[in-house]
Amino acid sequence: MKTQPVRNPFTLVLFGAGGDLVWRLVVPALFALFRKSHLSEGFRLLGVDRLEYGREEFCAHLGEHFDSETPEQWKAFCEHVDYLRGDFLEHETYQRIDEQLQGYEREFGDQAERVFYLATPPALFAPISVRLGQAGLGEAREHARLVVEKPLGHDLASFREINGSLTQHFVEEQIFRIDHFLGKETVQNILALRFANPLFEPVWNRSYIDHVAITVAESLGVENRAGYYEGSGALRDMLQNHLMQLLCLVAMEPPVAYDANDIRNRKMDVMHALRPITPDRVHEYAARGQYGAGWISGQSVPGYRQEPKVADDSETETYAALKLHIDNWRWQDVPFYLRTGKRMPAKISEISIRFKPVPHHAFPVWADQENQPVRLTLQIQPDEAIRLRFMVKEPGMQLRLRPADLVFNYADGFRGSSPSAYETLLYEVLVGDASLFMRADQVEAAWSLVQPVLDVWEATPPSDFPNYQAGSWGPETAEMLTARDGRSWLTPAAARDQSG
Ligand code: BG6
């Protein structure tokens, strides 16, 4: 189906325009939308930062790879770009933004939208949003939006504080909190798979499902982000947000309509039903790890403590796992195991739904020796696929059963490349649809859930770090999390494929 272009003219005001996020993700996404004619004819990108750029220089900086690949289109795109040098803390900057906006909007008319995108360090979210509000820039509620990125806080208290500032002048409907996982095609497809097919929903519950395992593994280490990561760690960086969103999509009830509030209400129901982890049970329900030196794809890689700008006695976890229970009718007694880590054997995100065994084994034991439970795997990335593993009879005179896979592969099923997560999310911001964004109550509930784990981990420093080797699937303590229940983490299907 053809994507409808964004209807209203708009100005995208990018705070932190000289930063990495803008150059790497936001502008490439906007340019991709432009090239596909998904934008309205009238639009402006106004970059705001303290750096000394002229308009031309700013464009040249943004377009480093585009102007050689698509020079004509890039030139046309740059016609829409402006730059304003200003200090985010000075009120005068906001008066100048206001003047620029008024100038554009004389041409755009009264349907013009304003999107204030805070691509800045999180410490600036509160001061910028408050100053925007004081300057009256967010007043037209229907036409002014505020976009913020994670991390939204460092813990429950700091989230409340930041959110309190955002909501001083902007209402919830105006605030778009990005979790880029929600922009990924395969993540959006979870709801399509569940609710556009009559097949899965009847068995999507405690009667048929034994457990759900969500793995988001990365082979990269901390790269050059130690400044941020040292104060964050895997639980805050990945689990509290991205994995929690995946869990909500797998566990939520069907929405009445595909509508931002309806979808987010259903996700909130899941958050409400998550059994709190009390401090005395943290060791049973949570595991942490930090990578030591090891090998990945034949390359030797250093341990976390040897990475640039990491303290040599750092206690930051680069791996986190949680066991969660959802106390509701559908999921009672079905554990959800969540794990994420850096420097694991491969970059793989997948959700594995393990079904219960058949109630009665009718086949002779010798025929059924390879028996495996039925498993549905949603491969989120990089080999986007849906895979159903089930038992079949092997051809031959002898009755012998073995597992086989039914695989739907996105690359084979659909031609052409999918939009990037940022492309999708930016488009949704511009059309004002918040379905793929995090609502405050959900973020707050996620912080509440992990807060006891953060507290206990902080109070009891790890004595065994580094406790997993780079290139392994994580620490032994995470194995214990599943082993205590008589289960185990499975090597992700995509990793098994990669290793042949
Ligand atoms: C970010 C985290 O939110 O997600 C990073 O801060 C992580 O640490 C990244 O590497 C993973 O995203 P993706 O899309 O590459 O899986």
Side-chain angles (χ1 to χ4, degrees), residues 150 180-181 184 216-218 220-221 223 225 228-229 237-238 241-242 342 347 349 381 421:
K150 67 165 263 276
H180 78 282
F181 264 54
K184 292 181 192 277
V216 178
E218 297 184 88
L220 288 176
E223 299 179 279
R225 296 169 67 226
Y228 148 75
Y229 199 83
D237 183 46
M238 298 289 288
N241 37 73
H242 305 322
K342 294 205 182 280
K347 179 176 172 71
S349 304
Q381 60 184 17

Side-chain angles (χ1 to χ4, degrees), residues 142-362:
E142 300 278 301
H143 295 292
R145 284 163 217 147
L146 188 66
V147 182
V148 285
E149 292 269 345
K150 67 165 263 276
L152 287 170
H154 187 251
D155 54 14
L156 181 59
S158 54
F159 167 73
R160 286 185 174 146
E161 203 180 312
I162 290 183
N163 204 53
S165 305
L166 300 183
T167 51
Q168 259 182 44
H169 298 279
F170 291 85
V171 295
E172 180 61 37
E173 287 68 28
Q174 294 179 280
I175 305 174
F176 287 65
R177 298 177 193 81
I178 290 194
D179 180 318
H180 78 282
F181 264 54
L182 293 179
K184 292 181 192 277
E185 281 291 328
T186 33
V187 173
Q188 294 175 62
N189 194 42
I190 298 172
L191 293 191
L193 176 85
R194 290 191 55 200
F195 303 135
N197 299 294
L199 202 60
F200 301 105
E201 228 11 57
V203 294
W204 208 265
N205 56 52
R206 66 187 305 274
S207 306
Y208 294 93
I209 294 180
D210 177 75
H211 73 273
V212 176
I214 302 180
T215 299
V216 178
E218 297 184 88
S219 54
L220 288 176
V222 69
E223 299 179 279
N224 53 2
R225 296 169 67 226
Y228 148 75
Y229 199 83
E230 273 284 85
S232 166
L235 188 63
R236 292 185 175 96
D237 183 46
M238 298 289 288
L239 212 144
Q240 183 272 346
N241 37 73
H242 305 322
L243 279 85
M244 212 57 92
Q245 290 291 338
L246 297 178
L247 173 133
C248 284
L249 291 167
V250 172
M252 68 189 251
E253 296 300 315
V256 175
Y258 197 83
D259 152 280
N261 262 332
D262 220 6
I263 291 176
R264 297 186 303 174
N265 287 343
R266 298 292 76 81
K267 286 185 176 178
M268 251 328 271
D269 292 343
V270 176
M271 297 304 298
H272 268 146
L274 279 169
R275 189 181 303 167
I277 303 175
T278 51
D280 57 317
R281 318 233 24 198
V282 164
H283 64 285
E284 264 176 76
Y285 284 84
R288 59 182 154 169
Q290 188 191 75
Y291 61 85
W295 292 80
I296 296 184
S297 312
Q299 296 266 331
S300 134
V301 295
Y304 179 69
R305 290 178 177 175
Q306 286 78 54
E307 301 274 18
K309 303 212 170 111
V310 172
D312 52 15
D313 57 353
S314 169
E315 287 165 356
T316 302
E317 84 283 357
T318 58
Y319 176 103
L322 287 186
K323 173 170 107 166
L324 296 172
H325 280 287
I326 301 174
D327 286 329
N328 66 13
W329 196 277
R330 188 191 281 262
W331 294 115
Q332 195 57 239
D333 299 328
V334 179
F336 281 69
Y337 301 103
L338 276 53
R339 64 172 168 171
T340 181
K342 294 205 182 280
R343 285 290 191 220
M344 295 176 80
K347 179 176 172 71
I348 285 172
S349 304
E350 71 172 42
I351 301 169
S352 164
I353 293 142
R354 229 8 156 106
F355 288 86
K356 290 188 169 166
V358 290
H360 168 65
H361 286 273

